[in-house]
Amino acid sequence: MNNPHHLNPTSLKSRFTTRFLRALTKIRAQKPISSSSPTEIFRRYRRIKVAADKSMAYSVRSRRIWSRAMLWKLRSRSYRRQDPCSGRRSGKTNQAIMKKSSNGNITRRREDGVGFVEEADELRQLVPGGETMNLCNLLDETAHYIKCLTTQVQVMKKIADFYSF
Amino acid sequence: MSGASNKITDDELNALILRLGTLLPQLNHGRHGRASSSTTKILKETCSYIRRLQKEVDDLSKRLSKCLDSMDITSSDAEFLTNLLQQ
């Protein structure tokens, strides 16, 4: 059960599960049970989705470029809701964070992708923080991101099955 | 060339692409195993796989939102679930 290599599925899974269950409990407690209007259910679905991403990003912490990008996105979103003026400032901060993580290779990335620039760019849109990654980082981050996504799906499925019979 | 390794070598690139290929469900039939799956194909498959996973998360969120009311998550449940998932 002990995986010494890169991603330890056991601990990431349990970290994510614990966080996510905690978030679900909070979301459930927020609204009275009587409300089952489509609007309410929709709002809940959005909250659950954010909670799932948040739980995963926090479980990975800042060890990965993509998790840092996701955490930044989640945090700036909640700030923006409180203070509309912070939007401009956070844009600049984003550049600074991204520049640091990609080793300043922002302008260089085109020369790396010989023959598959389009596909690489498409991938960049899908992986959080991908727009500023060089090709090497992008491929590395993608592998980890996929592993985390599959964990996320697996756990959420188990939870849904567990509570829906 | 440059010691800063801004340019990725072909070997490194191939290794990373191959690793991605092993993560993809469709490509894992191991037809020839080697260069038959081009980089472009692997990247394309990766994109659609990520999209599929993200959609699954979305659908599961919807599903959970519907049955959230009936979820009484006790601490023993959390422990049980975590153990269940570790297998």
Side-chain angles (χ1 to χ4, degrees):
Chain A
M1 206 168 286
N2 230 353
N3 270 344
H5 269 296
H6 41 89
L7 173 72
N8 185 340
T10 311
S11 68
L12 175 75
K13 231 192 261 184
S14 41
R15 286 204 303 276
F16 171 72
T17 307
T18 312
R19 279 201 169 85
F20 187 53
L21 284 176
R22 213 184 297 149
L24 283 178
T25 312
K26 258 192 226 155
I27 296 173
R28 180 172 179 259
Q30 271 167 11
K31 284 293 179 178
I33 303 186
S34 57
S35 56
S36 51
S37 67
T39 327
E40 248 335 292
I41 294 188
F42 180 79
R43 276 207 205 113
R44 264 188 182 177
Y45 138 68
R46 293 302 304 170
R47 279 197 206 119
I48 292 178
K49 177 119 196 285
V50 169
D53 286 341
K54 219 179 198 179
S55 304
M56 184 48 82
Y58 274 105
S59 299
V60 177
R61 297 234 161 82
S62 46
R63 291 198 312 258
R64 285 281 165 176
I65 303 178
W66 74 261
S67 62
R68 290 201 289 274
M70 192 179 268
L71 284 172
W72 182 88
K73 209 192 302 172
L74 289 165
R75 284 182 186 138
S76 72
R77 182 209 256 164
S78 64
Y79 289 157
R80 222 176 287 137
R81 241 189 273 142
Q82 295 164 21
D83 174 20
C85 301
S86 68
R88 244 174 289 139
R89 269 200 316 253
S90 24
K92 199 156 147 227
T93 321
N94 183 23
Q95 284 286 320
I97 293 177
M98 291 313 171
K99 258 205 168 105
K100 209 198 301 179
S101 55
S102 69
N103 301 322
N105 275 338
I106 301 177
T107 53
R108 293 276 202 118
R109 59 185 171 93
R110 289 269 162 200
E111 34 183 88
D112 292 336
V114 185
F116 43 82
V117 172
E118 271 187 44
E119 286 79 10
D121 281 347
E122 195 190 339
L123 187 56
R124 282 197 173 87
Q125 304 292 332
L126 291 170
V127 177
E131 309 86 15
T132 57
M133 292 180 201
N134 62 33
L135 186 60
C136 187
N137 281 336
L138 178 66
L139 296 175
D140 193 41
E141 293 285 314
T142 302
H144 188 268
Y145 182 55
I146 287 181
K147 283 183 195 165
C148 292
L149 275 177
T150 53
T151 302
Q152 198 179 26
V153 166
Q154 191 185 12
V155 173
M156 289 175 80
K157 222 181 253 180
K158 275 256 159 75
I159 295 179
D161 289 341
F162 187 73
Y163 286 106
S164 65
F165 51 83
Chain B
M1 249 180 283
S2 66
S5 67
N6 281 335
K7 279 268 179 92
I8 178 176
T9 70
D10 278 347
D11 284 340
E12 286 171 357
L13 182 60
N14 282 332
L16 287 168
I17 297 283
L18 273 175
R19 177 163 68 132
L20 264 186
T22 63
L23 294 173
L24 306 172
Q26 282 97 324
L27 252 43
N28 247 345
H29 305 318
R31 275 194 241 127
H32 315 274
R34 294 269 241 108
S36 61
S37 295
S38 71
T39 301
T40 316
K41 186 153 196 274
I42 290 185
L43 285 178
K44 276 209 180 111
E45 285 292 330
T46 304
C47 288
S48 52
Y49 187 41
I50 291 183
R51 270 192 248 272
R52 209 184 81 193
L53 288 170
Q54 288 174 338
K55 175 140 203 313
E56 271 197 76
V57 171
D58 203 54
D59 291 340
L60 283 165
S61 300
K62 287 187 181 142
R63 198 175 142 198
L64 283 170
S65 70
K66 295 204 180 99
C67 70
L68 190 63
D69 285 336
S70 56
M71 286 171 69
D72 190 12
I73 307 169
T74 64
S75 55
S76 54
D77 283 351
E79 215 181 300
F80 175 72
L81 266 172
T82 313
N83 286 331
L84 188 70
L85 283 159
Q86 275 176 1
Q87 288 158 17

